[in-house]
Amino acid sequence: MPLDRPKRAACPHCLRPQNACLCPWIRPTAHQAEVLILQHPLEVHEAKGTARLLHLSLARSRLVTGEQFAQAELRALLTGPLDQALEDGTAQASAAAPRQAVLLYPDLPQDRALGLPAPPALAPSCLQDPAGLRLVVLDGTWRKSRKMLHANALLQQLPRVALHNLPMSHYLIRKARRPDQLSTLEATCAALAQLEGRSEPFQPLLDAFDGWVAQLLHARPPAPSAT
């Protein structure tokens, strides 16, 4: 009978195995808009995922796992106080006024063809106060995030944030359909920079992201040589 392999020790803060700890790459980043990251369950143990590094770097963020949420639960996540997880595992609720939730997701013609309603326009007055926004981010592959959108009617009813003038992604450890298809971390930083009208606060986190990607690339086993 084969012996069970011992579980690898995990970092208590980032929850990754000790040999893949994210903590050296965390960069506390000042931002105005709140961020709600809805992570597909299949992304939780994805070693190349960026959502946890993003969450640990953004103080005003929350990371929740799920694919199809109960309507009451999702409404509370979108409009209720954003719980801030503390290092000791307790929670601190924000007492601020309700936020306007906006979804980081393009409005695609193929979604109209499949019967999804057109998203409402975001009132220009909301853009004048980024601190009053809650940016909702779907963490998953393109197929997974699209499935999450289709499975949750409340997400379909949110105004959208579409990114403009995107740079080429530095996310070299995962295949993308297009050069400008960004990781969750890159896309969220771009959206926050666009909403807040400033990109400088997010550059240290993006630089750390580049270092983390380089570390993962270096740890990859070499490709077998052609014979």
Side-chain angles (χ1 to χ4, degrees), residues 144-224:
K144 293 170 188 171
S145 60
R146 193 175 185 192
K147 188 174 182 181
M148 292 170 71
L149 175 63
H150 282 248
N152 295 279
L154 288 178
L155 294 180
Q156 301 168 22
Q157 298 166 17
L158 296 179
R160 305 278 180 91
V161 174
L163 299 177
H164 307 297
N165 303 318
L166 292 178
M168 183 176 293
S169 175
H170 292 191
Y171 195 35
L172 304 178
I173 53 176
R174 209 165 182 178
K175 289 183 179 179
R177 301 193 317 175
R178 302 187 311 271
D180 62 350
Q181 191 169 332
L182 306 179
S183 67
T184 295
L185 185 147
E186 291 172 303
T188 303
C189 287
L192 289 173
Q194 186 172 299
L195 291 171
E196 299 182 7
R198 54 188 192 143
S199 59
E200 295 82 5
F202 308 103
Q203 194 56 53
L205 177 54
L206 291 170
D207 291 341
F209 168 77
D210 287 346
W212 173 71
V213 169
Q215 176 182 271
L216 291 181
L217 288 173
H218 181 72
R220 275 183 174 178

